[in-house]
Amino acid sequence: MDTMTTPAVPAPRTQVTRKDVARYAGVSTAVVSYVVNGGPKKVAPATEAKVQEAIRLLGYRPNAAARALKLGSTETIGLIIPDNSNPFFSLLAHAVEDAAAELGFALFLTNSDGDLAKERRNIRNLAARRVDGVVLASVLLDPDLADLQAAEIPSVLLSHSERSAGFTTVGVDLAEGARTAVEHLIGHGHTNIGLAMGTTTGNEGDAREDGWLQALKDAGLPEGPIARSEFTRIGGYAAGKRLLASANRPTAIFASSDMQAIGILRALHEAGLSVPGDVALASFDGSVEAEYSWPPLTTVEQPVRAMAEAAVRALVGVDRGEPPRHHVFPTRLLVRQSCGCG
């Protein structure tokens, strides 16, 4: 009577190949490929289980370099953001990673820390790794992408409010979003509305300030005091203290980021002021922290997931190879308690 025996595990060697896995699992190398890559053809659950068990026992690791050479693609994209400790950029990075994974691409995440030299260094490093594309949330409105262009690596400017000649850009109408928030504060009866405005590396203008100004002008109100600081909690705290010390202390403040607003809340609480009773507050971004601050922040929400998906589509998806365009997404005012609403 014939008996079936399990194939012996090959003796350890430098590298286990796909052929070894196929031989051990009793399938073709094509089936192993389908399991490893999640397609393009479906594999029966029982067969997939055998292949996965063979991969585990043999310690097989796909050769990414060989696959990249065969496909002409590393199946990776790079992402450069200012600071992934900022909840807004953390959310944005997660959305880009999810969108890339949907198309079978892995993500290299780097931080520029808001520093131009580090941003350029990250660009060079990603170009050297031959990624399939780079998503850049730059510290500049007009970043230097010469290294990517020389390597013929496509790029998309994400969280970018303006067109940039020759590049696909993805962002929101900052001015319109800010105008909506300030108009809401005006609707609560405020006539002296201050601005906590974030500063950029290149000291370039920011459309959120334009939106604040436009809302005041449309309502026939004078400009309120301005405090410029970093787009951080610490920056917001410093801006809040300066605004409170102003001879023209505002009764409402618009902050250009949620992180600044969190810092402003601390400054207001330390001064013994109630929010929104003494000073109302609204901000920009729509991060999770805005919902869980106290009081919860009224904020202008950016559609992070839609923005991320548009950026990835332009790099490695259905929009790849299309002429550069500017994708502008609408913002949404999330009304909570910090503005004076119940």
Side-chain angles (χ1 to χ4, degrees), residues 178-183 186 210-221:
R179 185 186 63 78
T180 300
V182 176
E183 285 181 346
I186 293 171
D210 298 335
W212 170 75
L213 281 170
Q214 189 61 53
L216 296 177
K217 180 180 178 181
D218 291 345
L221 297 175

Side-chain angles (χ1 to χ4, degrees), residues 192-271:
N192 183 8
I193 301 173
L195 172 66
M197 188 64 242
T199 55
T200 60
T201 298
N203 292 319
E204 298 161 317
D206 191 292
R208 278 165 285 203
E209 183 170 342
D210 298 335
W212 170 75
L213 281 170
Q214 189 61 53
L216 296 177
K217 180 180 178 181
D218 291 345
L221 297 175
E223 293 181 19
I226 301 177
R228 302 185 191 280
S229 62
E230 296 180 345
F231 285 99
T232 62
R233 300 174 185 87
I234 295 174
Y237 178 65
K241 290 175 76 71
R242 291 203 301 273
L243 289 170
L244 292 180
S246 169
N248 182 31
R249 194 178 87 180
T251 62
I253 299 172
F254 172 63
S256 58
S257 76
D258 290 343
M259 292 301 94
Q260 286 180 312
I262 297 295
I264 292 170
L265 280 175
R266 176 179 171 179
L268 293 170
H269 292 323
E270 285 184 353

Side-chain angles (χ1 to χ4, degrees), residues 1-61:
M1 180 176 178
D2 293 335
T3 59
M4 295 183 65
T5 59
T6 302
V9 176
R13 62 186 192 184
T14 305
Q15 184 173 351
V16 176
T17 68
R18 193 166 295 186
K19 287 184 179 179
D20 294 327
V21 175
R23 187 181 305 114
Y24 189 83
V27 299
S28 69
T29 55
V31 170
V32 176
S33 178
Y34 300 152
V35 172
V36 170
N37 299 313
K41 292 185 178 180
K42 292 184 178 180
V43 176
T47 302
E48 181 176 358
K50 287 198 301 182
V51 173
Q52 293 288 9
E53 179 67 4
I55 289 172
R56 186 185 67 80
L57 289 173
L58 300 179
Y60 171 67
R61 297 291 181 273

Side-chain angles (χ1 to χ4, degrees), residues 141-195:
L141 287 176
D142 188 21
D144 181 4
L145 301 176
D147 288 304
L148 296 178
Q149 291 173 308
E152 297 184 336
I153 296 174
S155 57
V156 170
L157 301 179
L158 181 58
S159 192
H160 209 75
S161 62
E162 299 181 9
R163 292 182 182 275
S164 186
F167 297 98
T168 290
T169 52
V170 179
V172 299
D173 189 333
L174 295 176
E176 178 62 19
R179 185 186 63 78
T180 300
V182 176
E183 285 181 346
H184 186 77
L185 292 172
I186 293 171
H188 279 284
H190 294 284
T191 58
N192 183 8
I193 301 173
L195 172 66

Side-chain angles (χ1 to χ4, degrees), residues 80 110-125 136 138-140 143-144 147 201-202:
I80 305 172
T110 65
N111 288 271
S112 69
D113 295 325
D115 181 77
L116 181 57
K118 189 169 183 181
E119 177 179 295
R120 288 172 174 166
R121 185 164 64 250
N122 288 340
I123 289 173
R124 288 195 298 271
N125 288 341
L136 171 62
S138 181
V139 298
L140 295 175
D144 181 4
D147 288 304
T201 298

Side-chain angles (χ1 to χ4, degrees), residues 290-314:
E291 184 177 0
Y292 289 93
S293 64
W294 187 254
L297 287 167
T298 290
T299 181
V300 178
E301 180 188 49
Q302 300 191 60
V304 168
R305 188 157 297 278
M307 291 162 60
E309 290 173 351
V312 172
R313 283 199 310 269

